[in-house]
Amino acid sequence: MKKKFPFQSVISPLTGFIVCILIILFCAQNPLSALASLFTGTFTSPYYFGSMLNTAAFLMLAGTGASLSLKAGNMNLGGEGQIYTGGFVAALVLTSSWKIPSWLLFTLALLLCLASGAGMALLSAVLKKIKGAEVLLTSYLISAASIPIVDGLITSSRTQAEQNLLALPYIDSVFRFPQLLAPSPFTISFFFAIAVCLSSWFFLTFTYSGRKLTLWGTSPEFARYCGFKSDPILLSSLTLSGALHALTGFAAVCGTFYTCHLGFASGMGWNALSASLIVSSNPLALIPASLVLAWLYTSADRVALTQGFAFDIGGIVQGCVLFAIAIPFSIEKIKLARLEKKQDASQEARS
């Protein structure tokens, strides 16, 4: 089978980078200065360098979740809602008035956060098993429905932050991850995300369960011939995928925002899915891919801020990267459809 990994891993980020350069050349007040800032600005500022690493951590955590579902042959498009819901649950529990030890409250918040994301993804798995509904569709619809619900819960909460009606109260300092590169939001979550990528790669590559999961994604007919049951793979892969997305929301609340504000997870799920698709769902390759994409997004946002752009460069770049990823998949689908038509035509001719 022809591998698409090198094409996707190079062309997709390069497309976003070229688009960013073109926008700067045509829209920046000082294009040369803006280009220099794009290449080097992120690495000369402790804040932006730490922000880049922090963004890479989010991409690695959620990207691993997306990779596990993709490896099993199901695309989880509910990352946005799972991250948002997980962060909301974590912030809600950590700002509650329950009279229990802080370590126990932190553990409870983490478990409930993971359960919220896992439950949303598990619902898609159940719908596929019972009704035959596609995970790609149901996960997206559940996510799309959960986002406005969380928005409403934030704005109508009786424990809103007094100074901001669009956010929950700030969590106590005892629950906050310590900053490793002040004043940036760089925390230990970056190293934890790397550990998650490495452990997931080891699981998929060297364990029996991991290879069985991968086999169901690459050749379901052969996996069924070997006697492997699909239900455990479907349920476990989507549960892990949803839990890792929710864990991303937990890391964002405890390490970056210290609260759950309206729309804090906007773009996280789609960016993580882009990173996973770029590396063909390889958790090990997800580490450098996340760093490259995080640098691109952070640099684009920095240039937009310093050059006074009236529009969001980062959002345009993210959209171009995702569009570039979709092109080879679309071409492959067209080729497969044509091949199936030829096979059907040849069978009819023989009959």
Side-chain angles (χ1 to χ4, degrees), residues 28 35 43 68 76-77 83 94 110 144 149 163 185 195 202 226 241 305 317 331 348:
L35 284 177
F43 301 101
L68 290 175
N76 178 14
L77 293 184
I83 294 172
L94 292 176
L110 176 59
I149 292 175
Q163 62 272 39
F202 182 86
C226 293
S241 177
L305 181 64
V317 172
I331 294 174
E348 291 178 359

Side-chain angles (χ1 to χ4, degrees), residues 58-59 62 79-80 83 248-249 252 257 264-273:
F58 295 156
L59 292 176
E80 290 277 298
I83 294 172
T248 307
F257 304 112
F264 83 88
S266 178
M268 284 189 186
W270 295 114
N271 292 339
L273 180 62

Side-chain angles (χ1 to χ4, degrees), residues 103-123:
W103 66 268
L104 183 58
L105 186 63
F106 183 85
T107 303
L108 182 62
L110 176 59
L111 292 177
L112 290 176
C113 169
L114 296 176
S116 65
M120 292 174 64
L122 189 60
L123 180 57

Side-chain angles (χ1 to χ4, degrees), residues 185-243:
F186 177 59
T187 64
I188 57 173
S189 60
F190 176 78
F191 303 103
F192 179 76
I194 291 179
V196 169
C197 289
L198 293 175
S199 59
S200 299
W201 169 75
F202 182 86
F203 166 74
L204 292 172
T205 307
F206 296 105
T207 66
Y208 173 76
S209 298
R211 290 195 294 268
K212 185 166 65 173
L213 184 148
T214 304
L215 182 61
W216 261 106
T218 55
S219 182
E221 293 297 331
F222 183 72
R224 193 175 291 108
Y225 175 79
C226 293
F228 298 148
K229 296 182 178 180
S230 62
D231 290 349
I233 299 297
L234 173 67
L235 297 175
S236 60
S237 61
L238 283 175
T239 299
L240 287 173
S241 177

Side-chain angles (χ1 to χ4, degrees), residues 336-351:
L336 289 175
R338 290 178 177 176
L339 181 61
E340 289 178 358
K341 287 182 179 180
K342 289 181 180 179
Q343 292 176 347
D344 293 339
S346 62
Q347 288 178 358
E348 291 178 359
R350 290 175 183 175
S351 60

Side-chain angles (χ1 to χ4, degrees), residues 261-290:
H261 64 76
L262 211 64
F264 83 88
S266 178
M268 284 189 186
W270 295 114
N271 292 339
L273 180 62
S274 299
S276 177
L277 291 173
I278 285 173
V279 297
S280 299
S281 308
N282 184 343
L284 184 62
L286 188 61
I287 298 174
S290 297

Side-chain angles (χ1 to χ4, degrees), residues 29-199:
Q29 298 174 354
N30 190 338
L32 294 180
S33 175
L35 284 177
S37 178
L38 175 69
F39 283 99
T40 62
T42 300
F43 301 101
T44 57
S45 167
Y47 174 78
Y48 283 104
F49 181 69
S51 297
M52 182 195 76
L53 297 179
N54 188 59
T55 301
F58 295 156
L59 292 176
M60 283 186 277
L61 282 175
T64 303
S67 297
L68 290 175
S69 63
L70 285 169
K71 281 291 187 181
N74 298 291
M75 182 175 287
N76 178 14
L77 293 184
E80 290 277 298
Q82 291 156 15
I83 294 172
Y84 199 19
T85 303
F88 172 77
V89 171
L92 191 65
V93 174
L94 292 176
T95 56
S96 65
S97 57
W98 298 341
K99 302 299 181 181
I100 59 176
S102 58
W103 66 268
L104 183 58
L105 186 63
F106 183 85
T107 303
L108 182 62
L110 176 59
L111 292 177
L112 290 176
C113 169
L114 296 176
S116 65
M120 292 174 64
L122 189 60
L123 180 57
S124 294
V126 173
L127 289 173
K128 181 175 183 179
K129 184 179 183 302
I130 297 177
K131 297 294 184 179
E134 287 295 331
V135 171
L136 182 146
L137 178 62
T138 57
S139 61
Y140 174 76
L141 292 177
I142 293 170
S143 172
S146 67
I147 292 174
I149 292 175
V150 174
D151 287 343
L153 291 173
I154 292 175
T155 55
S156 63
S157 175
R158 294 181 179 179
T159 58
Q160 295 171 6
E162 295 180 358
Q163 62 272 39
N164 188 354
L165 298 179
L166 301 180
L168 295 181
Y170 287 102
I171 63 175
D172 192 88
S173 58
V174 71
F175 302 123
R176 301 180 183 183
F177 297 160
Q179 292 178 322
L180 301 181
L181 189 62
S184 74
F186 177 59
T187 64
I188 57 173
S189 60
F190 176 78
F191 303 103
F192 179 76
I194 291 179
V196 169
C197 289
L198 293 175
S199 59

